[in-house]
Amino acid sequence: AVRSLTLELNLHGIRVCEVAPGAVDTGMYDTVEVDSMVRQISHEFNYHYPPGNFPTMPPHAVADAVLLCLKSDSHILSVNMVSEGQIPHQAT
């Protein structure tokens, strides 16, 4: 949908960017139920996290990505973000 919108709005001089953050420290991952489900899903893909908080990124990291898109001289189509230590094959 973002790519289609980008193509349509580019004709009008409007740039579109998608910022897709992974787990962000907003409190959503703090509950036992959510933490348990995320760990269960991750386990099914052979990711095993140590006990404690699930790796999340700080909200300012998302804000930094949005500012990058707004201030850049280039048209950034997409930013995919993964917190350090969360999903190893995407974070390295």
Side-chain angles (χ1 to χ4, degrees):
V2 171
R3 297 292 187 267
S4 295
L5 186 61
T6 298
L7 289 171
E8 289 179 28
L9 294 180
N10 185 56
L11 297 174
H12 304 287
I14 300 171
R15 298 190 312 182
V16 176
C17 178
E18 172 187 31
V19 176
V24 180
D25 184 12
T26 59
M28 185 175 85
Y29 295 91
D30 292 350
T31 66
V32 174
E33 296 82 9
V34 172
D35 183 85
S36 174
M37 288 307 300
V38 169
R39 288 174 189 278
Q40 180 181 336
I41 292 167
S42 300
H43 184 78
E44 291 175 10
F45 291 96
N46 289 321
Y47 294 111
H48 309 282
Y49 300 103
N53 292 336
F54 181 72
T56 57
M57 71 184 77
H60 69 78
V62 181
D64 288 346
V66 170
L67 284 174
L68 171 68
C69 294
L70 293 172
K71 292 182 174 184
S72 177
D73 290 333
S74 63
H75 182 182
I76 299 172
L77 291 174
S78 180
V79 177
N80 293 320
M81 303 175 70
V82 179
S83 61
E84 187 172 340
Q86 183 184 0
I87 301 175
H89 77 280
Q90 291 185 355
T92 56

